């Protein structure tokens, strides 16, 4: 079974440029998460989708961040414009139905903003 | 609001010795507790979880964790450490409702041959 797929794995951009990250969850997983992981810290939730609906986006900085999951499968997270402080690893995870199911994580996208 | 504390940034243990990585939590309802491991340049991998039932939970790669409600702890343990266990370990919690998973800051485990 394929795991959570993310691309690109690494991205280097200059500040004020836009950037987008893509995630394809495990087949059949209706819940998709985007996390931000700063160096030396645990992941912090940015947004959670149940199918195509964003059910928790309270931690998403909506002035510059946006996300979509149009068909309830793969998802895109966008930053426009990027700032120096956005340099981090962006993790995508998915889980099956049920509140206690574990989340499966992708390898992440390491973003460096110069 | 739920929270997780991992009091040790770094744990060093000799190969073959038992290891413990500590975790304490705070939730308003019943806790759902998880341990994940992260290897360099990799995503987090699920190790084990406690939802209900036996306080001792067994997981992947020989790891286990003990849920202690009175001490609000969920320490990760392994009887005999391997060099390949060296990685970053994260404890996470959510309460019984449909709430986000909250992660600790992580503990770096170093197993020395």
């Amino acid at each position: 079974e394929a795991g959570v797929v993310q691309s690109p794995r690494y991205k280097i951009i200059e500040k004020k440029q836009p950037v987008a990250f893509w995630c394809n969850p495990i087949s059949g997983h209706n819940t998709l998460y985007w996390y931000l992981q700063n160096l030396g810290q645990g992941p912090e939730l940015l947004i959670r989708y149940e199918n195509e609906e964003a059910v928790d986006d309270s931690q998403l900085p909506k002035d510059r961040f946006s996300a979509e999951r149009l068909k309830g499968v793969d998802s895109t997270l966008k930053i426009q414009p990027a700032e120096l402080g956005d340099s981090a690893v962006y993790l995508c995870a998915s889980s099956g139905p049920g509140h206690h199911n574990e989340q499966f994580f992708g390898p992440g996208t390491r973003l460096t903003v110069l | 609001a739920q929270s997780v504390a991992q009091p040790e940034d770094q744990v060093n243990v000799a190969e073959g010795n038992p290891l413990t990585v500590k975790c304490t939590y705070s939730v308003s309802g019943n806790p759902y507790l998880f341990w994940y491991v992260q290897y360099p340049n990799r995503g987090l991998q699920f190790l084990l979880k406690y939802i209900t039932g036996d306080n001792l939970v067994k997981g992947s790669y020989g790891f286990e964790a003990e849920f202690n409600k009175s001490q609000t702890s969920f320490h990760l343990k392994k009887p005999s450490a391997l060099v390949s266990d060296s990685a970053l370990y994260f404890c996470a919690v959510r309460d019984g409702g449909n709430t986000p998973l909250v992660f600790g800051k992580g503990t770096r485990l170093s197993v020395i041959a």
Side-chain angles (χ1 to χ4, degrees), chain A residues 9-10 35 37 40-43 45 48 56 91 99-103 105-107 110, chain B residues 32 34 36 38 41-44 46 49 51 90 94 96-98 100-101 103-105:
Chain A
R9 290 294 311 278
Y10 303 91
Y35 287 91
Q37 186 178 20
Q41 301 292 318
L45 181 70
R48 174 168 63 100
D56 185 353
L91 295 167
H99 297 166
H100 56 268
N101 280 335
E102 60 268 26
Q103 297 175 22
F105 284 80
R110 182 177 296 276
Chain B
Y32 292 170
F34 301 80
Y36 285 84
Q38 187 175 34
N41 298 317
R42 303 276 295 275
L44 278 70
F46 169 76
K49 66 182 178 184
I51 305 300
F90 291 96
R94 66 188 307 180
N98 192 12
L101 198 59
F103 287 83
K105 290 186 175 182

Side-chain angles (χ1 to χ4, degrees), chain B residues 30-90:
Chain B
N30 292 322
Y32 292 170
L33 293 154
F34 301 80
W35 275 102
Y36 285 84
V37 60
Q38 187 175 34
Y39 296 98
N41 298 317
R42 303 276 295 275
L44 278 70
Q45 295 178 36
F46 169 76
L47 280 179
L48 51 79
K49 66 182 178 184
Y50 171 83
I51 305 300
T52 186
D54 289 341
N55 289 342
L56 185 63
V57 179
K58 295 187 182 296
S60 306
Y61 313 120
F63 284 93
E64 59 189 28
E66 185 170 9
F67 171 64
N68 188 316
K69 186 174 183 178
S70 62
Q71 297 185 5
T72 61
S73 67
F74 190 56
H75 301 330
L76 182 70
K77 300 181 179 182
K78 187 173 182 180
S80 179
L82 300 172
V83 172
S84 58
D85 293 330
S86 299
L88 193 55
Y89 290 81
F90 291 96

Side-chain angles (χ1 to χ4, degrees), chain A residues 33-37 44-48 56-62 65 77 90-91:
Chain A
Y33 312 78
W34 282 103
Y35 287 91
L36 166 70
Q37 186 178 20
E44 299 173 28
L45 181 70
L46 289 172
I47 189 168
R48 174 168 63 100
D56 185 353
D57 63 355
S58 57
Q59 300 303 311
L60 189 72
K62 298 181 182 62
F65 286 66
L77 178 69
Y90 292 82
L91 295 167

